[in-house]
Amino acid sequence: MHKDFEEDVADAAARVLETNWTGRYTVPATGLYPHQWSWDSAFIAIGTRHREPARARAELVTLLDAQWSDGRVPQIVYDVGRDDDYAPGAGFWRSATSGLVQPPVHAWAAWLVHCADPAGSAREGFLARVYHRLARWHEYLHGPRAGAVGLPVTKHPWETGTDNSPLWDAALERVPPEARTAIRRPDLQHAGTGERPGSRDYRRYYRLAEAYRDAGCADDVPIGFAMVCPLFVSMLAVSELALARMARSLPDAGGGAPSDVERGAGGDAGTHEATAARVVASMDAHLWDDDLGLYVALDDTTGERVRRATVNGLVPLLLAGGPTEARARTEASPSAGTTPAGTAPAGAPAAARAAVAGQAPPVTGRAERLLATLTGPGFLGGGPFLPSTSREDPAFDPALYWRGPAWFNTSWLLLRAVRALGRDDLAVRLGEHFAVAAPEGFPEYIDPDTGAGRGTRQFSWTAALTLDARLSDESAVLPEP
Ligand code: 2M8
């Protein structure tokens, strides 16, 4: 593509982020989403780091300032002055934040933000400011949120970030579509007909949110929805590995003596790596679907796997070499955390060693199956863009929110995964997704067949991840500074 065009796209993306910046954080979209959203801020920081690294750091620090005392990082931090513009708002939660959470992309984002400007990060003591808070966030997910197989459960479709994915249909069916709250839908003013969840979905969403709020947002009270999501779990595993990188870097980044880091409240680097490997091993054991060739969700209430093919189930490809490789890594080397930064333990399999060294690991086992599914007829083999729900799933709808449209954050996640695996051909394919962003006005999502924009426009994570896809040449999921 022509260099001037590339620069125009990057400038246009940066302008969207500038417009949506409030001075402390970036709203996802000024009309539809007028507050700070948790995983949006992580994706936004990943893009903003290239041009405004200090702002990227501030984005994450502002979010972490809203962390609850139990460690949770809230789904939404409200601008109470705009409480009428989005529902449910602070009035519903009786709190300045939502009580729910979203996928834990934050530690990974913080690491990428640090890597983009290590000197600025060190000057601000950024890693030291965020590390322990991020570790407490993960402890909340590993503790009160742990379900039957030890993986964190999401207690509401809003927590998954992929709100109306068919993965949640069966569990939602059990929730009575009756809420006590009078439901307002300001969202419908900002998206086309048939693009947002329907009123029956919303009555169930509110019913669950009311139940959680009324239980004081306590996690030991069953509210009728507890799902393990492969996308959420993958983000936790990648972020746990990011915490390990941070723990090792902290002495150099102004974070204190090495002994503080190794024994800090968040645990030492080796503990984070062992935790990541445990999470991946559990995902591998409980969420893999050999017929569909991807990971699926698990219903923690019934113990049943939800056998639906969605992009959520491809995201574990980020764990380079496949989850089995990561499990082998811990089993082979329980003292993995004692190796110096930038090296892999001697007992680590080739994939882990290659990933640390920033080289493409060999593609074996489940990674190979996931690549076959990614390129198969349900996903990239069936059309130009990566749909959120498989084209072969009965619920596939190219216009309806998470039930078919292609989203920029999931294409970005898979782009990172295939780059790390050295699959340049697929990186080019997924990169094409970002070519339509600027011409379509940085839409929230696109039609997976035509690339036509859908949902709201001037959407922050679309702009941010377009910037990152254009400006970052990192090939490792977790690069070095
Ligand atoms: C969408 O979710 C919100 C609720 O959190 C909504 O539909 O009102 C999702 O796409 C979610 O992933 C995203 O974080 C949020 C803000 O962009 O919008």
Side-chain angles (χ1 to χ4, degrees):
M1 210 171 285
H2 194 272
K3 188 164 176 294
D4 291 345
F5 176 76
E6 293 283 356
E7 280 169 8
D8 286 352
V9 168
D11 288 346
R15 274 196 301 278
V16 171
L17 293 168
E18 184 68 42
T19 304
N20 293 352
W21 170 249
T22 63
R24 295 184 61 236
Y25 60 89
T26 311
V27 294
T30 49
L32 181 56
Y33 305 118
H35 310 290
Q36 183 175 30
W37 256 261
S38 167
W39 79 326
D40 294 63
S41 277
F43 290 124
I44 289 163
I46 288 168
T48 305
R49 70 188 170 131
H50 296 291
R51 294 223 171 159
E52 301 280 350
R55 207 167 82 197
R57 293 190 289 270
E59 180 88 39
L60 294 172
V61 169
T62 300
L63 180 69
L64 291 172
D65 282 347
Q67 182 169 32
W68 286 28
S69 56
D70 64 5
R72 85 182 71 192
V73 172
Q75 170 210 8
I76 303 171
V77 186
Y78 291 108
D79 170 356
V80 286
R82 295 198 59 188
D83 212 33
D84 288 342
D85 297 343
Y86 178 85
F92 172 89
W93 287 104
R94 302 169 195 144
S95 156
T97 79
S98 154
L100 301 171
V101 300
Q102 277 194 317
V105 191
H106 316 92
W108 185 20
W111 179 250
L112 293 175
V113 164
H114 168 72
C115 289
D117 176 25
S121 170
R123 255 194 323 276
E124 283 181 20
F126 173 66
L127 290 185
R129 285 176 82 185
V130 298
Y131 169 76
H132 291 290
R133 298 200 236 177
L134 291 165
R136 283 205 302 120
W137 162 220
H138 288 199
E139 281 163 17
Y140 167 72
L141 295 173
H142 296 304
R145 283 304 186 100
V149 302
L151 295 172
V153 297
T154 52
K155 308 207 63 164
H156 194 292
W158 286 331
E159 295 204 315
T160 68
T162 56
D163 307 9
N164 69 337
S165 166
L167 288 172
W168 326 127
D169 285 1
L172 267 187
E173 270 299 310
R174 300 195 300 263
V175 178
E178 294 146 21
R180 280 177 282 125
T181 314
I183 300 175
R184 290 187 309 111
R185 295 292 305 270
D187 58 313
L188 296 179
Q189 291 163 19
H190 304 280
T193 316
E195 292 180 356
R196 294 277 303 169
S199 58
R200 204 173 163 77
D201 293 323
Y202 255 76
R203 287 200 295 274
R204 292 188 157 117
Y205 294 164
Y206 268 74
R207 171 89 180 200
L208 282 174
E210 284 168 352
Y212 194 53
R213 179 198 62 193
D214 295 347
C217 300
D219 291 308
D220 52 359
V221 181
I223 58 164
F225 187 96
M227 302 295 295
V228 182
C229 169
L231 191 165
F232 192 108
V233 170
S234 302
M235 291 302 96
L236 183 57
V238 173
S239 279
E240 221 31 88
L241 293 171
L243 284 185
R245 295 294 174 94
M246 286 185 206
R248 290 209 178 89
S249 301
L250 265 167
D252 298 328
S259 56
D260 295 341
V261 173
E262 288 299 322
R263 296 196 210 100
D268 64 29
T271 304
H272 292 305
E273 287 179 341
T275 303
R278 175 186 61 73
V279 166
V280 167
S282 185
M283 178 166 73
D284 203 15
H286 299 286
L287 306 188
W288 175 253
D289 189 296
D290 210 43
D291 295 331
L292 293 173
L294 46 57
Y295 293 82
V296 294
L298 177 71
D299 189 326
D300 199 64
T301 309
T302 63
E304 282 170 19
R305 282 181 304 129
V306 184
R307 305 197 54 252
R308 307 293 290 264
T310 66
V311 72
N312 307 42
L314 294 171
V315 172
L317 194 59
L318 274 166
L319 296 148
T324 310
E325 301 276 357
R327 179 178 53 193
R329 179 181 181 180
T330 344
E331 284 167 359
S333 176
S335 60
T338 58
T339 56
T343 64
R353 283 199 303 275
V356 170
Q359 299 155 0
V363 178
T364 54
R366 290 197 178 158
E368 212 162 21
R369 290 290 311 280
L370 285 170
L371 286 171
T373 308
L374 172 66
T375 53
F379 293 96
L380 289 179
F385 302 105
L386 179 67
S388 40
T389 294
S390 165
R391 292 182 164 85
E392 297 183 321
D393 188 280
F396 174 78
D397 177 333
L400 183 51
Y401 206 42
W402 289 97
R403 295 175 88 84
W407 287 74
F408 289 84
N409 61 338
T410 48
S411 290
W412 181 86
L413 292 170
L414 270 300
L415 175 63
R416 292 293 295 209
V418 299
R419 273 191 190 163
L421 291 167
R423 286 296 303 264
D424 296 344
D425 55 330
L426 291 177
V428 169
R429 263 310 290 286
L430 287 162
E432 283 163 12
H433 192 149
F434 297 90
V436 301
E440 290 294 320
F442 297 99
E444 192 176 3
Y445 44 88
I446 57 174
D447 183 299
D449 297 319
T450 66
R454 299 270 182 247
T456 192
R457 301 299 195 275
Q458 314 303 315
F459 186 64
S460 293
W461 87 37
T462 299
L465 298 177
T466 300
L467 255 186
D468 191 72
R470 299 261 169 240
L471 301 184
S472 161
D473 55 4
E474 289 154 349
S475 59
V477 172
L478 288 161
E480 289 298 329

